Amino acid sequence: CEEHVNHEVNKLNGIVNSKASYENGNAIIEFDQTKTNETEIEKAINSTGYKVTDKKQIN
């Protein structure tokens, strides 16, 4: 499950780090905003059958 989400997200250009956690029910994605965006990341996650339900920015 976690690996499937990480695999799809990491296909995108500009992903610095991706960590999905089934136990925590979340994924933390670090990315280069000049190469990809939240919409593309959300599409990649949604393509796995999981759905993005909430987004938060962590600084």
Side-chain angles (χ1 to χ4, degrees):
C1 299
E2 298 157 350
E3 196 56 39
H4 189 64
V5 170
N6 288 327
H7 179 75
E8 286 302 311
V9 169
N10 282 309
K11 288 181 180 178
L12 299 171
N13 287 327
I15 300 299
V16 175
N17 189 26
S18 170
K19 183 176 181 188
S21 172
Y22 177 78
E23 184 177 315
N24 295 330
N26 67 8
I28 298 172
I29 315 295
E30 183 180 353
F31 64 98
D32 181 339
Q33 294 180 356
T34 65
K35 296 181 181 177
T36 192
N37 58 52
E38 290 181 25
T39 302
E40 292 303 312
I41 295 168
E42 188 171 342
K43 285 181 190 177
I45 293 170
N46 289 343
S47 76
T48 67
Y50 294 95
K51 299 290 178 212
V52 175
T53 57
D54 188 23
K55 294 184 271 187
K56 295 179 185 171
Q57 184 172 346
I58 302 171
N59 293 326

